[in-house]
Amino acid sequence: MTGASHESTLRPIRSVAVLGAGTMGAQIAAHVANAGLPVLLLDLDTDTARSGLKRAAALKPDPFFTRETQTRIRLGGFDRDLPEIAGCDWIIEAIIERLDAKQALLEQVETHRRADAIVTSNTSGIPIGSLAEGRSEAFRRHWLGSHFFNPPRYLRLVEIVPTGDTDPAVVTALSSFVDRQLGKGVVVAKDTPNFIANRIGLYGVTRVLEQLATGTYTIEEIDAMTGPVVGRPKSATFRTMDIAGIDILAHVATNLSARLDTEDERRAFELPPLVGQLVERGWIGEKAGQGFYKKERGRDGSTIHTLDPVTMDYRPRQSARLGALDAARTIDDPGERVRSLFQAHDTVGEFMRATLGRTLIYAAEVAGSIAHTVDDVDRAMRWGFGWDQGPFELWDAIGVETVLDACGGDDLSAAAREWAGLPSRSGGSGTGPRHFRTAPVPPAAPDLQLLGMARQRGQVVTRNAGASLVDLGHGVLAVEFHSKLNTIGGDTVGMLTGGATEASDRFAGLVVGNDAVNFCAGANLMLVLLEAQEGNWDEIDLMVRGFQQAILGLRYSPVPVVVAPAGLTLGGGCEMVLHADRVQAAAETYMGQVEVGVGLIPAGCGTKELTVRAIDATTPGTDPLPRLQRAFETIGFGKVSTSAADARRLGLLRDVDGITMNRERLMADAKATVLDRVRDGYRAPAPRAAIPVGGEDTRAAIDLGIHLAWRGGRISDHDALIARKLARIMTGGDLPHPTTVTEQYLLDLEREAFLSLCGEARTLERIRHTLKTGKTLRN
């Protein structure tokens, strides 16, 4: 990048235009709207833009945080509305992948754009520099690539691709916005064919397809070898291709091959005939109803069938029986697990060496031409393809010499070694093992991964099997969960209580959060089941009382407590959130009180709190029943938010609670919120001593709705029993008329209902079913 910086002339990005309402354009517009910005979405005409947005809104998973988010998107057409981009701070081109079409549109964009507006392309492979040929110097200073990955809401990677003309201040400003406002992991890539992630990822996919073509492995076996066991997504290889579109794979591979410099590298990206056959038949994946897999619908439900590449027929899906995989699944350390598979003396090992081994060598050889650092390569594959470990992390996990020996290579090229800082291979003894890395992949910025970095600095105050206390600095303590699925057991409750006490004695405030994918999956159901089966009612009562007191300890702590949920935040995890002084939630937070699904009710202060919130939200002098019914349904139907914004709609988050778009910034934002509350002069609230409840009349109204739902066959007998117990708590028990009660009174009702349901055979059936299958049982 060259040229003087024009940082002073750049405006903050407050409005965005997306040009092209196709698969990617419409979803990018949706995610910008998720971030709270107004978006102008244009296509050939308004009707085309409207159709594109409608298709996006029908996608699963949903590209929108809430349905209301769509109202931030204004539609229009190139034919009439292109001049309106003059009011936009960032203009994203996302039309068809044709150089001539993009250049023609950008010529018009230059006519209408504001002088300081940033203009980018979402192209997946056309050289960014060539797209701006013929544009002015001022345009080229504000021009670069911004390559989102599909689906944009859920995949973290955005490759920012400057050219030699791009102003460095533009790169900095856009990277910061994409990180902080859109929540993405930013990697600055060089302007080379398919940039970083698709270049390496597609090479790996091509090697896998080669192995399928040998006939040695079935599609199911390959997906078993390229999924979670090696730190990849559950969709593995062929399911991922079906989701992304086999036609897209073919298109990207063809375009990439045409842009590569050498014949050898072009041949490396030639797809086997099978892909062309699938495209010709229209079997291009999920959007066509069939690809490598096909869902067959029958009288007994749907079954998944798998393509036989030889006959081109579909057959029932088969289990993959590979001994090396079964053995590897018992290995907890991910690096050791991959190494054991790579070195296996069977067909699994042969597959790993032919696919993963060759991909690692290719990544090392091309990295210097496509990326700036090994960290960028590893982050790109983690964020763009969902790898648990990037290529250079895998090199070190398996062993540099092991990879080279297994793949028949003498050593990497001198250029590759020099770029990565890897010593040359030596036959001498005493040189020691070679590594690409001397430390784990660092955070991409100083305020990312705050908790993990505090842990690495040795700032753990104390820990047990379920949780730890970690000093985040500046007087802020954190409670971090690390039990399986972060479920709540005695260790967790003990650390919550201890953390509140420790924070009160020695710190300015407390954060409850962690770096796991899921904040908390709720109570440890196995403990509840075992105690209930043995009839240990006093033990269950003690467990519930202990958790209630831990939750109240957070709420009434003399120092501010901020809870930082992300991912699944269910049951007891949701109850922690409900009782924080403030919440700083990751945008992708899926929160709810789901206890009814296992035959129970929220008894960790959750039923009480949603009751209180419903009453508090009622306008004085009006009937609280409508809001109370809404809270009742939130619990009774086990509603789970589809995002943090949706949790606010459900009443699980308040207007004062914050949302963090970038998951890796969550703990830093939560810490900042604690310190803000301290500066504001935080004072702990007093326990509620007079909570209005409706009594018998309000309960009768809710019970009537339960009866009608049961009569209509919408709920089972056991659902009705649970619902009546829930209604009893929310209306104040057996009180004959409206009155006020204390908080502890409602908590006693919670505990009483929970204990009685633990004694129900159908509740225990639900718990067993959930523990066995991970799904709910409606019995």
Side-chain angles (χ1 to χ4, degrees):
M1 293 174 287
T2 60
S5 173
H6 295 260
E7 187 170 10
S8 61
T9 65
L10 288 174
R11 299 188 191 185
I13 297 175
R14 296 195 177 100
S15 61
V16 176
V18 179
L19 311 183
T23 299
M24 287 300 292
Q27 289 190 80
I28 292 169
H31 194 59
V32 173
N34 286 337
L37 277 76
V39 185
L40 175 65
L41 178 61
L42 304 181
D43 210 297
L44 293 173
D45 52 46
T46 303
D47 287 342
T48 305
R50 184 177 294 109
S51 296
L53 185 62
K54 184 177 180 180
R55 284 192 302 272
L59 291 173
K60 298 297 177 186
D62 198 332
F64 291 100
F65 283 170
T66 67
R67 290 291 92 190
E68 293 73 24
T69 305
Q70 290 188 46
T71 61
R72 298 192 184 106
I73 300 177
R74 189 159 50 93
L75 302 175
F78 301 148
D79 54 345
R80 298 174 53 185
D81 303 302
L82 197 58
E84 294 193 32
I85 66 174
C88 297
D89 304 309
W90 179 18
I91 302 161
I92 307 169
E93 174 278 308
I95 65 170
I96 188 171
E97 284 286 279
R98 274 181 33 204
L99 176 62
D100 58 341
K102 290 177 182 290
Q103 287 178 327
L105 178 60
L106 292 175
E107 183 177 1
Q108 297 181 64
V109 167
E110 182 164 19
T111 302
H112 300 293
R113 66 177 280 271
R114 201 178 59 234
D116 60 349
I118 297 172
V119 187
T120 69
S121 175
N122 186 59
T123 179
S124 60
I126 299 176
I128 301 300
S130 67
L131 289 172
E133 288 177 359
R135 306 279 59 78
S136 68
E137 180 187 353
F139 183 98
R140 295 197 309 274
R141 281 202 308 268
H142 294 81
W143 166 252
L144 65 168
S146 59
H147 181 218
F148 289 78
F149 277 64
N150 190 20
R153 171 182 168 182
Y154 299 96
L155 285 186
R156 289 203 59 215
L157 179 62
V158 173
E159 291 170 317
I160 298 295
V161 189
T163 71
D165 296 319
T166 310
D167 186 339
V170 171
V171 178
T172 300
L174 184 61
S175 297
S176 177
F177 177 85
V178 171
D179 164 5
R180 295 175 179 274
Q181 302 302 315
L182 301 187
K184 298 303 170 187
V186 173
V187 171
V188 177
K190 296 180 180 180
D191 190 7
T192 57
N194 284 54
F195 315 129
I196 300 173
N198 275 346
R199 179 80 164 266
I200 295 170
L202 188 57
Y203 182 91
V205 167
T206 308
R207 303 291 73 75
V208 169
L209 287 168
E210 283 178 351
Q211 291 304 302
L212 177 66
T214 67
T216 305
Y217 309 96
T218 65
I219 286 173
E220 293 96 336
E221 287 172 338
I222 290 177
D223 269 354
M225 290 186 286
T226 58
V229 73
V230 291
R232 307 283 175 82
K234 289 182 179 179
S235 54
T237 297
F238 295 108
R239 175 70 179 132
T240 298
M241 281 193 270
D242 276 354
I243 294 170
I246 298 168
D247 56 331
I248 301 298
L249 168 72
H251 176 76
V252 171
T254 299
N255 284 350
L256 172 60
S257 182
R259 296 186 179 107
L260 294 172
D261 294 331
T262 69
E263 185 59 32
D264 285 346
E265 198 171 6
R266 285 194 285 272
R267 278 198 300 268
F269 285 91
E270 289 179 1
L271 299 175
L274 172 62
V275 174
Q277 294 170 26
L278 290 170
V279 173
E280 287 173 10
R281 293 175 183 232
W283 299 356
I284 54 176
E286 194 172 72
K287 59 191 173 186
Q290 62 193 102
F292 290 104
Y293 292 103
K294 180 180 181 180
K295 183 179 286 187
E296 299 278 5
R297 302 186 186 277
R299 294 173 58 185
D300 298 326
S302 299
T303 57
I304 303 296
H305 286 218
T306 308
L307 179 72
D308 183 329
V310 177
T311 66
M312 295 300 285
D313 292 325
Y314 289 89
R315 54 161 177 76
R317 188 161 58 176
Q318 302 169 351
S319 297
R321 294 183 175 85
L322 298 165
L325 291 187
D326 295 333
R329 290 188 181 101
T330 66
I331 302 172
D332 291 332
D333 181 78
E336 185 181 338
R337 190 186 317 126
V338 174
R339 184 167 60 251
S340 73
L341 291 170
F342 192 87
Q343 295 178 309
H345 300 292
D346 60 6
T347 55
V348 173
E350 292 171 2
F351 175 86
M352 292 295 170
R353 293 185 286 274
T355 57
L356 178 59
R358 291 180 64 190
T359 301
L360 295 183
I361 290 174
Y362 180 76
E365 290 292 351
V366 301
S369 66
I370 65 177
H372 296 285
T373 67
V374 295
D375 291 339
D376 288 339
V377 175
D378 282 347
R379 291 187 188 116
M381 298 312 295
R382 281 169 167 255
W383 294 340
F385 278 76
W387 290 18
D388 287 349
Q389 295 176 291
F392 293 104
E393 292 175 286
L394 287 168
W395 266 104
D396 290 343
I398 297 169
V400 173
E401 312 308 327
T402 301
V403 173
L404 291 171
D405 289 342
C407 297
D410 178 41
D411 201 355
L412 296 173
S413 68
R417 293 197 312 272
E418 181 179 354
W419 178 83
L422 185 75
S424 64
R425 197 171 196 183
S426 170
S429 58
T431 57
R434 295 190 298 165
H435 299 284
F436 282 100
R437 298 192 155 281
T438 57
V441 182
D447 50 352
L448 296 173
Q449 300 176 25
L450 182 70
L451 183 60
M453 296 308 293
R455 236 187 290 110
Q456 285 185 30
R457 290 193 299 268
Q459 293 173 214
V460 177
V461 176
T462 187
R463 62 170 287 140
N464 61 30
S468 298
L469 299 184
V470 183
D471 184 349
L472 297 181
H474 301 97
V476 179
L477 183 68
V479 177
E480 176 190 17
F481 306 146
H482 42 67
S483 60
K484 185 176 181 181
L485 294 177
N486 289 331
T487 53
I488 301 164
D491 288 335
T492 310
V493 173
M495 199 61 76
L496 274 176
T497 303
T501 301
E502 180 77 4
S504 300
D505 292 344
R506 299 180 50 232
F507 290 83
L510 180 69
V511 172
V512 181
N514 53 69
D515 289 335
V517 173
N518 297 315
F519 172 73
C520 178
N524 186 331
L525 287 176
M526 181 59 76
L527 292 178
V528 176
L529 178 64
L530 292 174
E531 298 293 357
Q533 288 177 156
E534 294 297 321
N536 294 332
W537 311 121
D538 288 345
E539 287 297 320
I540 296 176
D541 182 73
L542 191 62
M543 287 165 52
V544 176
R545 285 178 187 271
F547 187 55
Q548 286 181 340
Q549 291 308 305
I551 294 298
L552 293 178
L554 300 179
R555 185 69 197 96
Y556 299 118
S557 167
V559 297
V561 175
V562 174
V563 176
L568 291 179
T569 304
L570 307 177
C574 180
E575 288 170 315
M576 292 179 213
V577 170
L578 292 173
H579 289 81
D581 172 60
R582 292 289 186 271
V583 179
Q584 189 67 38
E588 298 297 343
T589 296
Y590 316 120
M591 186 189 318
Q593 299 280 196
V594 296
E595 288 87 347
V596 168
V598 290
L600 298 168
I601 56 96
C605 310
T607 303
K608 177 273 303 180
E609 183 62 20
L610 288 181
T611 301
V612 170
R613 289 190 181 192
I615 293 167
D616 288 349
T618 302
T619 303
T622 63
D623 186 0
L625 181 60
R627 290 189 179 274
L628 203 61
Q629 283 178 319
R630 182 183 174 192
F632 172 84
E633 290 172 2
T634 297
I635 299 172
F637 292 129
K639 293 182 179 180
V640 176
S641 70
T642 57
S643 63
D646 191 48
R648 184 170 281 153
R649 180 187 66 82
L650 291 173
L652 302 175
L653 292 180
R654 304 156 297 181
D655 289 343
V656 296
D657 295 325
I659 296 175
T660 295
M661 290 293 284
N662 189 330
R663 173 69 175 87
E664 291 191 359
R665 291 190 180 280
L666 180 61
M667 292 298 287
D669 288 350
K671 175 184 172 181
T673 302
V674 167
L675 296 175
D676 284 344
R677 295 293 288 153
V678 172
R679 283 190 289 269
D680 291 343
Y682 171 80
R683 292 291 181 271
R688 297 288 292 265
I691 300 167
V693 292
E696 193 174 272
D697 289 346
T698 304
R699 182 175 163 192
I702 297 177
D703 280 349
L704 176 60
I706 295 168
H707 178 72
L708 293 175
W710 173 78
R711 283 279 301 271
R714 297 192 298 276
I715 62 175
S716 68
D717 290 352
H718 197 50
D719 288 329
L721 172 68
I722 300 165
R724 287 192 293 271
K725 290 183 179 294
L726 186 61
R728 181 173 180 270
I729 302 166
M730 300 182 78
T731 56
D734 298 323
L735 299 172
H737 50 72
T739 184
T740 61
V741 298
T742 65
E743 188 171 58
Q744 188 59 51
Y745 177 87
L746 292 179
L747 296 183
D748 291 341
L749 291 178
E750 276 187 0
R751 196 174 64 258
E752 175 189 322
F754 188 92
L755 282 166
S756 68
L757 287 168
C758 284
E760 295 285 339
R762 289 181 179 177
T763 286
L764 301 188
E765 287 173 8
R766 290 190 179 192
I767 295 175
R768 290 189 198 99
H769 183 82
T770 297
L771 288 171
K772 183 178 180 180
T773 67
K775 300 177 181 179
T776 56
L777 172 68
R778 289 294 184 182
N779 56 352

